[in-house]
PDB file of all heavy atoms in Angstrom:
ATOM      1  N   MET A   1      88.486 123.419  75.128  1.00  0.00           N
ATOM      2  CA  MET A   1      87.932 123.588  73.778  1.00  0.00           C
ATOM      3  C   MET A   1      86.413 123.690  73.849  1.00  0.00           C
ATOM      4  O   MET A   1      85.760 122.883  74.499  1.00  0.00           O
ATOM      5  CB  MET A   1      88.290 122.352  72.925  1.00  0.00           C
ATOM      6  CG  MET A   1      89.728 122.340  72.453  1.00  0.00           C
ATOM      7  SD  MET A   1      90.006 123.520  71.152  1.00  0.00           S
ATOM      8  CE  MET A   1      89.232 122.696  69.774  1.00  0.00           C
ATOM      9  N   PRO A   2      85.867 124.650  73.197  1.00  0.00           N
ATOM     10  CA  PRO A   2      84.397 124.732  73.181  1.00  0.00           C
ATOM     11  C   PRO A   2      83.814 123.547  72.429  1.00  0.00           C
ATOM     12  O   PRO A   2      84.433 123.014  71.511  1.00  0.00           O
ATOM     13  CB  PRO A   2      84.115 126.033  72.435  1.00  0.00           C
ATOM     14  CG  PRO A   2      85.409 126.554  71.961  1.00  0.00           C
ATOM     15  CD  PRO A   2      86.506 125.684  72.391  1.00  0.00           C
ATOM     16  N   PHE A  40     103.175 124.614  88.039  1.00  0.00           N
ATOM     17  CA  PHE A  40     103.817 123.411  87.502  1.00  0.00           C
ATOM     18  C   PHE A  40     105.164 123.877  86.991  1.00  0.00           C
ATOM     19  O   PHE A  40     105.247 124.503  85.939  1.00  0.00           O
ATOM     20  CB  PHE A  40     103.003 122.793  86.369  1.00  0.00           C
ATOM     21  CG  PHE A  40     101.808 122.016  86.830  1.00  0.00           C
ATOM     22  CD1 PHE A  40     100.521 122.421  86.521  1.00  0.00           C
ATOM     23  CD2 PHE A  40     101.974 120.859  87.597  1.00  0.00           C
ATOM     24  CE1 PHE A  40      99.417 121.694  86.949  1.00  0.00           C
ATOM     25  CE2 PHE A  40     100.868 120.133  88.031  1.00  0.00           C
ATOM     26  CZ  PHE A  40      99.598 120.556  87.710  1.00  0.00           C
ATOM     27  N   ASN A  43     105.431 127.347  85.433  1.00  0.00           N
ATOM     28  CA  ASN A  43     104.117 127.675  84.872  1.00  0.00           C
ATOM     29  C   ASN A  43     103.130 127.992  86.008  1.00  0.00           C
ATOM     30  O   ASN A  43     102.753 127.107  86.773  1.00  0.00           O
ATOM     31  CB  ASN A  43     103.658 126.469  84.032  1.00  0.00           C
ATOM     32  CG  ASN A  43     102.398 126.755  83.259  1.00  0.00           C
ATOM     33  OD1 ASN A  43     101.867 127.856  83.312  1.00  0.00           O
ATOM     34  ND2 ASN A  43     101.920 125.748  82.533  1.00  0.00           N
ATOM     35  N   HIS A  44     102.738 129.229  86.117  1.00  0.00           N
ATOM     36  CA  HIS A  44     101.820 129.656  87.182  1.00  0.00           C
ATOM     37  C   HIS A  44     100.399 129.337  86.739  1.00  0.00           C
ATOM     38  O   HIS A  44      99.788 130.084  85.980  1.00  0.00           O
ATOM     39  CB  HIS A  44     101.995 131.162  87.413  1.00  0.00           C
ATOM     40  CG  HIS A  44     101.443 131.617  88.728  1.00  0.00           C
ATOM     41  ND1 HIS A  44     101.607 132.880  89.205  1.00  0.00           N
ATOM     42  CD2 HIS A  44     100.748 130.968  89.680  1.00  0.00           C
ATOM     43  CE1 HIS A  44     101.027 132.995  90.397  1.00  0.00           C
ATOM     44  NE2 HIS A  44     100.501 131.841  90.697  1.00  0.00           N
ATOM     45  N   VAL A  45      99.859 128.211  87.215  1.00  0.00           N
ATOM     46  CA  VAL A  45      98.616 127.679  86.653  1.00  0.00           C
ATOM     47  C   VAL A  45      97.376 128.216  87.366  1.00  0.00           C
ATOM     48  O   VAL A  45      96.359 128.484  86.737  1.00  0.00           O
ATOM     49  CB  VAL A  45      98.642 126.141  86.678  1.00  0.00           C
ATOM     50  CG1 VAL A  45      97.347 125.572  86.144  1.00  0.00           C
ATOM     51  CG2 VAL A  45      99.805 125.619  85.849  1.00  0.00           C
ATOM     52  N   LEU A  46      97.444 128.374  88.689  1.00  0.00           N
ATOM     53  CA  LEU A  46      96.345 129.005  89.428  1.00  0.00           C
ATOM     54  C   LEU A  46      96.898 130.245  90.103  1.00  0.00           C
ATOM     55  O   LEU A  46      97.893 130.172  90.832  1.00  0.00           O
ATOM     56  CB  LEU A  46      95.761 128.038  90.470  1.00  0.00           C
ATOM     57  CG  LEU A  46      95.067 126.783  89.943  1.00  0.00           C
ATOM     58  CD1 LEU A  46      94.555 125.936  91.105  1.00  0.00           C
ATOM     59  CD2 LEU A  46      93.930 127.115  88.991  1.00  0.00           C
ATOM     60  N   LYS A  47      96.238 131.375  89.843  1.00  0.00           N
ATOM     61  CA  LYS A  47      96.769 132.643  90.353  1.00  0.00           C
ATOM     62  C   LYS A  47      95.810 133.224  91.363  1.00  0.00           C
ATOM     63  O   LYS A  47      94.814 133.829  90.989  1.00  0.00           O
ATOM     64  CB  LYS A  47      96.988 133.624  89.193  1.00  0.00           C
ATOM     65  CG  LYS A  47      97.991 133.101  88.169  1.00  0.00           C
ATOM     66  CD  LYS A  47      98.017 133.985  86.939  1.00  0.00           C
ATOM     67  CE  LYS A  47      98.965 133.406  85.900  1.00  0.00           C
ATOM     68  NZ  LYS A  47      98.767 134.008  84.591  1.00  0.00           N
ATOM     69  N   CYS A  62      83.544 127.040  83.377  1.00  0.00           N
ATOM     70  CA  CYS A  62      83.976 126.865  81.992  1.00  0.00           C
ATOM     71  C   CYS A  62      85.187 127.734  81.716  1.00  0.00           C
ATOM     72  O   CYS A  62      85.661 128.462  82.592  1.00  0.00           O
ATOM     73  CB  CYS A  62      82.853 127.095  80.987  1.00  0.00           C
ATOM     74  SG  CYS A  62      81.681 128.364  81.396  1.00  0.00           S
ATOM     75  N   GLY A  63      85.679 127.627  80.517  1.00  0.00           N
ATOM     76  CA  GLY A  63      86.903 128.356  80.167  1.00  0.00           C
ATOM     77  C   GLY A  63      87.688 127.567  79.150  1.00  0.00           C
ATOM     78  O   GLY A  63      87.471 126.359  78.990  1.00  0.00           O
ATOM     79  N   ARG A  64      88.582 128.279  78.485  1.00  0.00           N
ATOM     80  CA  ARG A  64      89.387 127.658  77.438  1.00  0.00           C
ATOM     81  C   ARG A  64      90.220 126.506  77.956  1.00  0.00           C
ATOM     82  O   ARG A  64      90.545 126.457  79.136  1.00  0.00           O
ATOM     83  CB  ARG A  64      90.361 128.703  76.873  1.00  0.00           C
ATOM     84  CG  ARG A  64      89.808 129.599  75.837  1.00  0.00           C
ATOM     85  CD  ARG A  64      90.922 130.117  74.914  1.00  0.00           C
ATOM     86  NE  ARG A  64      92.247 130.080  75.489  1.00  0.00           N
ATOM     87  CZ  ARG A  64      93.030 131.148  75.625  1.00  0.00           C
ATOM     88  NH1 ARG A  64      92.589 132.336  75.273  1.00  0.00           N
ATOM     89  NH2 ARG A  64      94.246 131.027  76.104  1.00  0.00           N
ATOM     90  N   SER A  65      90.616 125.627  77.067  1.00  0.00           N
ATOM     91  CA  SER A  65      91.551 124.559  77.419  1.00  0.00           C
ATOM     92  C   SER A  65      92.862 125.184  77.901  1.00  0.00           C
ATOM     93  O   SER A  65      93.340 126.148  77.319  1.00  0.00           O
ATOM     94  CB  SER A  65      91.800 123.709  76.182  1.00  0.00           C
ATOM     95  OG  SER A  65      92.827 122.812  76.434  1.00  0.00           O
ATOM     96  N   GLY A  66      93.376 124.659  79.009  1.00  0.00           N
ATOM     97  CA  GLY A  66      94.629 125.186  79.543  1.00  0.00           C
ATOM     98  C   GLY A  66      94.458 126.344  80.502  1.00  0.00           C
ATOM     99  O   GLY A  66      95.432 126.901  80.992  1.00  0.00           O
ATOM    100  N   SER A  67      93.203 126.707  80.807  1.00  0.00           N
ATOM    101  CA  SER A  67      92.999 127.856  81.694  1.00  0.00           C
ATOM    102  C   SER A  67      93.106 127.482  83.174  1.00  0.00           C
ATOM    103  O   SER A  67      93.049 128.346  84.029  1.00  0.00           O
ATOM    104  CB  SER A  67      91.641 128.492  81.407  1.00  0.00           C
ATOM    105  OG  SER A  67      90.614 127.540  81.527  1.00  0.00           O
ATOM    106  N   GLY A  68      93.236 126.197  83.465  1.00  0.00           N
ATOM    107  CA  GLY A  68      93.465 125.770  84.844  1.00  0.00           C
ATOM    108  C   GLY A  68      92.251 125.180  85.539  1.00  0.00           C
ATOM    109  O   GLY A  68      92.267 124.968  86.751  1.00  0.00           O
ATOM    110  N   LYS A  69      91.206 124.853  84.780  1.00  0.00           N
ATOM    111  CA  LYS A  69      89.986 124.316  85.379  1.00  0.00           C
ATOM    112  C   LYS A  69      90.233 122.978  86.066  1.00  0.00           C
ATOM    113  O   LYS A  69      89.884 122.792  87.234  1.00  0.00           O
ATOM    114  CB  LYS A  69      88.911 124.122  84.306  1.00  0.00           C
ATOM    115  CG  LYS A  69      88.610 125.353  83.476  1.00  0.00           C
ATOM    116  CD  LYS A  69      87.554 125.091  82.422  1.00  0.00           C
ATOM    117  CE  LYS A  69      87.899 124.046  81.375  1.00  0.00           C
ATOM    118  NZ  LYS A  69      89.035 124.378  80.510  1.00  0.00           N
ATOM    119  N   SER A  70      90.848 122.050  85.331  1.00  0.00           N
ATOM    120  CA  SER A  70      91.097 120.726  85.910  1.00  0.00           C
ATOM    121  C   SER A  70      92.004 120.836  87.117  1.00  0.00           C
ATOM    122  O   SER A  70      91.793 120.157  88.133  1.00  0.00           O
ATOM    123  CB  SER A  70      91.758 119.808  84.885  1.00  0.00           C
ATOM    124  OG  SER A  70      90.928 119.644  83.781  1.00  0.00           O
ATOM    125  N   THR A  71      93.016 121.680  87.005  1.00  0.00           N
ATOM    126  CA  THR A  71      93.954 121.823  88.107  1.00  0.00           C
ATOM    127  C   THR A  71      93.234 122.309  89.361  1.00  0.00           C
ATOM    128  O   THR A  71      93.484 121.805  90.462  1.00  0.00           O
ATOM    129  CB  THR A  71      95.077 122.801  87.713  1.00  0.00           C
ATOM    130  OG1 THR A  71      95.668 122.342  86.501  1.00  0.00           O
ATOM    131  CG2 THR A  71      96.131 122.882  88.786  1.00  0.00           C
ATOM    132  N   LEU A  72      92.326 123.264  89.201  1.00  0.00           N
ATOM    133  CA  LEU A  72      91.581 123.750  90.362  1.00  0.00           C
ATOM    134  C   LEU A  72      90.789 122.613  91.006  1.00  0.00           C
ATOM    135  O   LEU A  72      90.820 122.418  92.225  1.00  0.00           O
ATOM    136  CB  LEU A  72      90.643 124.893  89.936  1.00  0.00           C
ATOM    137  CG  LEU A  72      89.727 125.435  91.038  1.00  0.00           C
ATOM    138  CD1 LEU A  72      90.548 126.014  92.181  1.00  0.00           C
ATOM    139  CD2 LEU A  72      88.783 126.497  90.482  1.00  0.00           C
ATOM    140  N   GLN A 124      87.048 112.939  82.941  1.00  0.00           N
ATOM    141  CA  GLN A 124      86.729 112.970  81.522  1.00  0.00           C
ATOM    142  C   GLN A 124      86.873 111.579  80.896  1.00  0.00           C
ATOM    143  O   GLN A 124      86.065 111.156  80.086  1.00  0.00           O
ATOM    144  CB  GLN A 124      87.670 113.961  80.836  1.00  0.00           C
ATOM    145  CG  GLN A 124      87.437 114.101  79.358  1.00  0.00           C
ATOM    146  CD  GLN A 124      88.326 115.183  78.758  1.00  0.00           C
ATOM    147  OE1 GLN A 124      88.989 115.933  79.473  1.00  0.00           O
ATOM    148  NE2 GLN A 124      88.330 115.272  77.456  1.00  0.00           N
ATOM    149  N   ASP A 201      84.944 116.578  86.093  1.00  0.00           N
ATOM    150  CA  ASP A 201      85.887 117.226  85.186  1.00  0.00           C
ATOM    151  C   ASP A 201      85.546 116.861  83.737  1.00  0.00           C
ATOM    152  O   ASP A 201      85.919 115.795  83.254  1.00  0.00           O
ATOM    153  CB  ASP A 201      87.322 116.803  85.523  1.00  0.00           C
ATOM    154  CG  ASP A 201      88.353 117.596  84.725  1.00  0.00           C
ATOM    155  OD1 ASP A 201      87.948 118.372  83.842  1.00  0.00           O
ATOM    156  OD2 ASP A 201      89.556 117.418  84.989  1.00  0.00           O
ATOM    157  N   GLU A 202      84.847 117.718  83.063  1.00  0.00           N
ATOM    158  CA  GLU A 202      84.399 117.484  81.689  1.00  0.00           C
ATOM    159  C   GLU A 202      83.853 116.065  81.489  1.00  0.00           C
ATOM    160  O   GLU A 202      84.374 115.307  80.674  1.00  0.00           O
ATOM    161  CB  GLU A 202      85.548 117.746  80.703  1.00  0.00           C
ATOM    162  CG  GLU A 202      86.143 119.133  80.877  1.00  0.00           C
ATOM    163  CD  GLU A 202      86.795 119.647  79.612  1.00  0.00           C
ATOM    164  OE1 GLU A 202      86.336 119.297  78.514  1.00  0.00           O
ATOM    165  OE2 GLU A 202      87.773 120.412  79.725  1.00  0.00           O
ATOM    166  N   ILE A 232      82.958 120.998  85.714  1.00  0.00           N
ATOM    167  CA  ILE A 232      83.599 121.631  84.572  1.00  0.00           C
ATOM    168  C   ILE A 232      82.903 121.105  83.334  1.00  0.00           C
ATOM    169  O   ILE A 232      82.884 119.889  83.102  1.00  0.00           O
ATOM    170  CB  ILE A 232      85.094 121.271  84.506  1.00  0.00           C
ATOM    171  CG1 ILE A 232      85.806 121.761  85.761  1.00  0.00           C
ATOM    172  CG2 ILE A 232      85.727 121.875  83.251  1.00  0.00           C
ATOM    173  CD1 ILE A 232      87.247 121.316  85.829  1.00  0.00           C
ATOM    174  N   HIS A 234      81.264 122.394  79.184  1.00  0.00           N
ATOM    175  CA  HIS A 234      80.859 123.411  78.230  1.00  0.00           C
ATOM    176  C   HIS A 234      79.446 123.149  77.738  1.00  0.00           C
ATOM    177  O   HIS A 234      79.015 123.723  76.749  1.00  0.00           O
ATOM    178  CB  HIS A 234      81.852 123.464  77.055  1.00  0.00           C
ATOM    179  CG  HIS A 234      83.183 123.966  77.487  1.00  0.00           C
ATOM    180  ND1 HIS A 234      84.347 123.660  76.837  1.00  0.00           N
ATOM    181  CD2 HIS A 234      83.546 124.749  78.534  1.00  0.00           C
ATOM    182  CE1 HIS A 234      85.360 124.233  77.461  1.00  0.00           C
ATOM    183  NE2 HIS A 234      84.900 124.896  78.487  1.00  0.00           N
ATOM    184  N   MET A 249      86.925 130.625  83.844  1.00  0.00           N
ATOM    185  CA  MET A 249      88.344 130.715  84.190  1.00  0.00           C
ATOM    186  C   MET A 249      89.113 131.151  82.967  1.00  0.00           C
ATOM    187  O   MET A 249      88.846 130.710  81.846  1.00  0.00           O
ATOM    188  CB  MET A 249      88.868 129.369  84.675  1.00  0.00           C
ATOM    189  CG  MET A 249      88.530 129.130  86.127  1.00  0.00           C
ATOM    190  SD  MET A 249      89.523 127.840  86.848  1.00  0.00           S
ATOM    191  CE  MET A 249      91.045 128.675  87.151  1.00  0.00           C
ATOM    192  N   HIS A 250      90.081 132.024  83.199  1.00  0.00           N
ATOM    193  CA  HIS A 250      90.935 132.467  82.112  1.00  0.00           C
ATOM    194  C   HIS A 250      92.337 132.635  82.666  1.00  0.00           C
ATOM    195  O   HIS A 250      92.545 133.389  83.617  1.00  0.00           O
ATOM    196  CB  HIS A 250      90.426 133.791  81.525  1.00  0.00           C
ATOM    197  CG  HIS A 250      91.277 134.279  80.396  1.00  0.00           C
ATOM    198  ND1 HIS A 250      91.147 133.796  79.114  1.00  0.00           N
ATOM    199  CD2 HIS A 250      92.295 135.169  80.370  1.00  0.00           C
ATOM    200  CE1 HIS A 250      92.041 134.380  78.337  1.00  0.00           C
ATOM    201  NE2 HIS A 250      92.758 135.212  79.080  1.00  0.00           N
ATOM    202  N   ASP A 251      93.273 131.884  82.089  1.00  0.00           N
ATOM    203  CA  ASP A 251      94.665 132.057  82.447  1.00  0.00           C
ATOM    204  C   ASP A 251      94.890 131.971  83.969  1.00  0.00           C
ATOM    205  O   ASP A 251      95.579 132.801  84.554  1.00  0.00           O
ATOM    206  CB  ASP A 251      95.139 133.429  81.919  1.00  0.00           C
ATOM    207  CG  ASP A 251      96.651 133.455  81.802  1.00  0.00           C
ATOM    208  OD1 ASP A 251      97.255 132.379  81.818  1.00  0.00           O
ATOM    209  OD2 ASP A 251      97.206 134.563  81.717  1.00  0.00           O
ATOM    210  N   GLY A 252      94.273 130.946  84.580  1.00  0.00           N
ATOM    211  CA  GLY A 252      94.528 130.712  86.001  1.00  0.00           C
ATOM    212  C   GLY A 252      93.772 131.596  86.956  1.00  0.00           C
ATOM    213  O   GLY A 252      94.054 131.616  88.149  1.00  0.00           O
ATOM    214  N   GLN A 253      92.795 132.346  86.452  1.00  0.00           N
ATOM    215  CA  GLN A 253      92.005 133.199  87.333  1.00  0.00           C
ATOM    216  C   GLN A 253      90.526 133.048  87.020  1.00  0.00           C
ATOM    217  O   GLN A 253      90.150 132.745  85.890  1.00  0.00           O
ATOM    218  CB  GLN A 253      92.397 134.666  87.149  1.00  0.00           C
ATOM    219  CG  GLN A 253      93.760 134.973  87.735  1.00  0.00           C
ATOM    220  CD  GLN A 253      94.211 136.373  87.426  1.00  0.00           C
ATOM    221  OE1 GLN A 253      94.138 136.810  86.276  1.00  0.00           O
ATOM    222  NE2 GLN A 253      94.661 137.082  88.436  1.00  0.00           N
ATOM    223  N   PHE A 275      84.470 134.002  74.851  1.00  0.00           N
ATOM    224  CA  PHE A 275      84.251 132.568  75.049  1.00  0.00           C
ATOM    225  C   PHE A 275      82.869 132.159  74.549  1.00  0.00           C
ATOM    226  O   PHE A 275      82.723 131.184  73.813  1.00  0.00           O
ATOM    227  CB  PHE A 275      84.416 132.239  76.533  1.00  0.00           C
ATOM    228  CG  PHE A 275      84.086 130.824  76.874  1.00  0.00           C
ATOM    229  CD1 PHE A 275      84.989 129.809  76.616  1.00  0.00           C
ATOM    230  CD2 PHE A 275      82.867 130.494  77.452  1.00  0.00           C
ATOM    231  CE1 PHE A 275      84.684 128.493  76.920  1.00  0.00           C
ATOM    232  CE2 PHE A 275      82.558 129.184  77.757  1.00  0.00           C
ATOM    233  CZ  PHE A 275      83.475 128.190  77.494  1.00  0.00           C
TER     234      PHE A 275
END
Side-chain angles (χ1 to χ4, degrees):
Chain A
M1 284 286 285
F40 283 115
N43 187 2
H44 198 173
V45 178
L46 295 180
K47 299 171 183 165
C62 36
R64 277 206 338 238
S65 171
S67 56
K69 306 179 298 296
S70 299
T71 305
L72 176 61
Q124 181 175 351
D201 188 354
E202 305 205 31
I232 299 174
H234 292 155
M249 279 197 78
H250 180 81
D251 201 16
Q253 288 174 312
F275 174 78

